[in-house]
């Protein structure tokens, strides 16, 4: 007789009668559930095409509301100014809005509802920043502390700026392997290593040949998750997942936009189960998905653009930092900056740059005029704000 451990009977999948549904375009699960998690784009499409979508809905919770200032901001702005929304209570979530009271007042005027600012005066989980460089490492402290709760010392930076660049003959492969072993030996897992190139992340996955999973239970959840994927795809298509499964069985995953959607969907649960120790990802995962980790490693502070490589926006860098520290599990989060290239001056400027004010794009469309709402302002100056009189109602 074979006696099976209790964990073999537990499933990763969402229960059939779940109260939570997911709707992201490629993924649709329990769309009739009382609580729906969806993207901004899905929400806007339903607002425009399905007048009954919000029937019976009392609250709309918008995460990362500071996205108003980004290229994606016009989508969020269209949602906030939609004519169907005044009947709802809107909750906006963010950790990086310096002008929160101003934004709350603008949203209140737009939707003609009382608006309140609720939050904590500081981050509930302490954030510790470290530099990784061989000259600063010791056996007891492999990563050099440069900041705690946002305070920096000039003497620390003087030592950092005096460091020599690592010899070019030392490959990234050997440096990454050494880094992961140090993360493991000093209790820094799970860790998220952020890069801004899909090809670079794929190469990191090839380079990390170690096995980070120590128990049969951890590997079991990987087998179980990929077995579910295998049931949903053809035998030929599953060949795309074979290498990804081999990585996951060693506690490593690679998350970026070019990966299969079914693979991306199982990763958050595997991380929570303890079956993924190292997440190699782009900034999209680190800012857009509820996947906190103990440690965030930033491989570089420059990212590719149309005009070559440039420093990443300070707001994006701080959002990446926000993944460090698991609520309810730790009181501190760790951010490690890899000082392997000549970026220390850029890094100091980014770390000391405060988040910029959040405001809307002020893009006026025929649809928004017909809905009778328009948000925020078209420029930084209040005198230049767009004012339209439509049916006796002022639109700002």
């Amino acid at each position: 007789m074979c006696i099976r451990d209790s964990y073999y009977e537990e499933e990763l999948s969402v229960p059939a009668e779940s109260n939570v549904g997911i709707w992201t375009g490629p993924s649709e699960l329990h769309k009739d559930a009382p609580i729906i998690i969806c993207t901004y784009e899905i929400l806007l499409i339903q607002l425009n095409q399905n007048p009954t979508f919000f029937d019976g809905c009392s609250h709309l919770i918008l995460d990362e509301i500071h996205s108003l200032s980004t290229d994606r901001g016009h989508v969020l702005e269209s949602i906030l100014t939609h004519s169907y929304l005044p009947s709802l209570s809107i909750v906006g979530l963010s950790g990086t809005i310096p002008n929160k009271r101003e934004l709350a007042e603008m949203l209140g005027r737009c939707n003609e509802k009382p608006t309140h600012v609720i939050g904590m005066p500081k981050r509930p989980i302490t954030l510790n920043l470290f530099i990784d460089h061989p000259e600063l490492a010791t056996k007891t402290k492999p990563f050099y502390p440069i900041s705690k709760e946002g305070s920096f010392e000039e003497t620390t930076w003087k030592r950092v700026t005096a460091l020599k660049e690592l010899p070019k003959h030392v490959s990234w492969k050997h440096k990454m392997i050494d880094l992961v072993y140090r993360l493991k030996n000093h209790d820094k897992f799970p860790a998220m290593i952020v890069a801004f190139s899909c090809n670079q992340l794929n190469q990191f996955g090839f380079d990390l040949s170690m096995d980070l999973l120590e128990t049969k239970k951890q590997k079991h959840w990987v087998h179980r998750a990929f077995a579910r994927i295998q049931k949903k795809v053809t035998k030929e298509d599953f060949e795309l997942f074979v290498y990804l499964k081999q990585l996951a069985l060693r506690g490593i995953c690679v998350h970026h936009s070019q990966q299969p959607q079914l693979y991306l969907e199982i990763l958050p649960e595997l991380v929570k189960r303890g079956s993924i120790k190292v997440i190699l990802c782009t900034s999209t995962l680190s800012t857009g998905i509820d996947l906190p980790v103990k440690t965030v490693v930033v491989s570089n502070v420059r990212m590719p653009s149309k005009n070559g490589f440039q420093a990443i926006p300070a707001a994006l860098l701080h959002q990446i930092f926000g993944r460090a520290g698991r609520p309810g599990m730790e009181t501190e989060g760790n951010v490690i900056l890899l000082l392997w290239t000549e970026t220390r001056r850029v890094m100091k400027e980014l770390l000391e740059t405060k988040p910029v004010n959040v405001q809307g794009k002020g893009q006026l469309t025929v649809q928004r005029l017909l809905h009778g709402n328009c948000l925020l302002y078209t420029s930084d100056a209040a005198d230049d704000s767009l004012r339209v009189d439509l049916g006796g109602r002022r639109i700002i």
Side-chain angles (χ1 to χ4, degrees), residues 279-294:
I279 309 163
L280 306 171
C281 65
T282 59
S283 59
T284 303
L285 173 60
S286 58
T287 61
I289 295 180
D290 183 19
L291 185 60
V293 292
K294 180 178 287 189

Side-chain angles (χ1 to χ4, degrees), residues 40 62-73 76 92-99 103 287 315-316 318-319 323 355-360:
Y40 293 158
L62 298 171
D63 196 11
E64 311 288 357
I65 199 171
H66 54 264
S67 298
L68 275 167
S69 294
T70 67
D71 294 337
R72 197 182 179 194
L76 180 55
L93 307 178
S94 176
T96 53
I97 300 183
N99 60 328
L103 181 61
T287 61
L316 175 58
H318 288 286
Q319 282 295 313
R323 296 294 120 180
V356 297
N357 288 346
V358 175
Q359 64 182 48

Side-chain angles (χ1 to χ4, degrees), residues 17-150:
E17 301 299 328
S18 175
N19 289 326
V20 180
I22 298 175
W23 196 353
T24 63
S27 301
E28 297 182 6
L29 186 65
H30 303 310
K31 290 167 53 177
D32 296 328
I35 301 174
I36 296 293
I37 300 174
C38 62
T39 62
Y40 293 158
E41 288 75 15
I42 291 294
L43 183 60
L44 183 59
I45 290 172
Q46 294 305 310
L47 281 169
N48 292 334
Q49 300 181 2
N50 185 1
T52 64
F53 183 68
F54 278 98
D55 287 356
C57 181
S58 59
H59 290 79
L60 173 62
I61 301 175
L62 298 171
D63 196 11
E64 311 288 357
I65 199 171
H66 54 264
S67 298
L68 275 167
S69 294
T70 67
D71 294 337
R72 197 182 179 194
H74 68 281
V75 179
L76 180 55
E77 189 170 341
S78 297
I79 293 171
L80 287 167
T81 60
H82 209 286
S83 60
Y84 293 147
L85 293 185
S87 60
L88 299 175
S89 293
I90 302 176
V91 180
L93 307 178
S94 176
T96 53
I97 300 183
N99 60 328
K100 49 186 178 293
R101 294 189 179 279
E102 180 186 23
L103 181 61
E105 181 180 354
M106 289 187 293
L107 291 175
R109 289 178 178 273
C110 174
N111 292 302
E112 299 180 350
K113 299 182 68 174
T115 306
H116 308 276
V117 177
I118 301 173
M120 298 181 179
K122 64 178 183 178
R123 196 176 192 268
I125 298 178
T126 302
L127 191 63
N128 302 321
L129 268 65
F130 300 88
I131 288 289
D132 182 50
H133 193 281
E135 292 184 28
L136 301 175
T138 64
K139 291 184 178 180
T140 57
K141 295 182 179 180
F143 306 107
Y144 184 70
I146 59 171
S147 169
K148 188 169 185 176
E149 296 186 336

Side-chain angles (χ1 to χ4, degrees), residues 119-385:
M120 298 181 179
K122 64 178 183 178
R123 196 176 192 268
I125 298 178
T126 302
L127 191 63
N128 302 321
L129 268 65
F130 300 88
I131 288 289
D132 182 50
H133 193 281
E135 292 184 28
L136 301 175
T138 64
K139 291 184 178 180
T140 57
K141 295 182 179 180
F143 306 107
Y144 184 70
I146 59 171
S147 169
K148 188 169 185 176
E149 296 186 336
S151 60
F152 301 92
E153 295 184 3
E154 285 301 322
T155 55
T156 299
W157 277 113
K158 287 181 180 179
R159 185 177 181 186
V160 170
T161 53
L163 294 172
K164 297 179 180 179
E165 189 173 353
L166 294 185
K168 295 183 178 180
H169 68 268
V170 181
S171 69
W172 271 77
K173 174 180 179 179
H174 293 98
K175 288 186 288 188
M176 287 299 298
I177 293 175
D178 175 67
L179 170 69
V180 172
Y181 273 122
R182 283 183 286 132
L183 292 172
K184 177 183 178 181
N185 295 335
H186 292 269
D187 193 27
K188 295 292 191 291
F189 284 163
M192 180 182 290
I193 301 178
V194 182
F196 301 99
S197 166
C198 296
N199 291 333
Q200 188 178 34
L201 290 175
N202 292 335
Q203 188 60 51
F204 287 169
F206 282 112
D207 293 343
L208 298 178
S209 56
M210 70 280 285
D211 188 351
L212 303 175
L213 298 186
E214 301 174 347
T215 68
K216 183 179 179 181
K217 181 177 180 179
Q218 292 171 339
K219 293 181 181 291
H220 158 75
W221 289 120
V222 176
H223 285 294
R224 203 65 177 273
F226 279 89
R228 293 205 319 272
I229 292 179
Q230 193 168 9
K231 293 179 181 179
K232 297 179 181 180
V233 300
T234 63
K235 183 177 180 180
E236 291 77 12
D237 288 342
F238 189 71
E239 292 297 323
L240 299 172
F241 298 89
V242 173
Y243 171 69
L244 298 174
K245 181 179 179 180
Q246 293 172 353
L247 272 182
L249 286 172
R250 293 189 274 114
I252 302 168
C253 73
V254 182
H255 189 296
H256 54 68
S257 59
Q258 297 178 10
Q259 301 288 33
Q261 184 64 31
L262 290 174
Y263 170 71
L264 300 181
E265 291 175 357
I266 66 173
L267 296 184
E269 186 66 29
L270 289 178
V271 174
K272 294 176 183 178
R273 297 283 187 183
S275 296
I276 296 295
K277 303 298 183 181
V278 173
I279 309 163
L280 306 171
C281 65
T282 59
S283 59
T284 303
L285 173 60
S286 58
T287 61
I289 295 180
D290 183 19
L291 185 60
V293 292
K294 180 178 287 189
T295 305
V296 169
V297 179
V298 180
S299 64
N300 206 320
V301 293
R302 296 183 183 273
M303 63 189 305
S305 67
K306 295 180 180 179
N307 300 320
F309 283 84
Q310 63 181 18
I312 65 176
L316 175 58
L317 187 65
H318 288 286
Q319 282 295 313
I320 294 173
F321 292 174
R323 296 294 120 180
R326 294 175 293 179
M329 302 185 71
E330 287 114 13
T331 58
E332 295 184 335
N334 307 301
V335 173
I336 301 174
L337 304 170
L338 304 186
L339 203 62
W340 298 351
T341 56
E342 190 62 40
T343 57
R344 60 203 70 182
R345 293 180 181 177
V346 177
M347 187 182 297
K348 184 176 186 295
E349 294 176 1
L350 288 173
L351 293 177
E352 294 180 338
T353 300
K354 296 181 180 180
V356 297
N357 288 346
V358 175
Q359 64 182 48
K361 298 291 185 179
Q363 296 181 3
L364 182 62
T365 63
V366 174
Q367 183 182 55
R368 191 173 301 176
L369 280 173
L370 294 176
H371 283 160
N373 258 337
C374 189
L375 178 65
L376 311 188
Y377 29 164
T378 55
S379 70
D380 294 336
D383 293 340
D384 295 333
S385 297

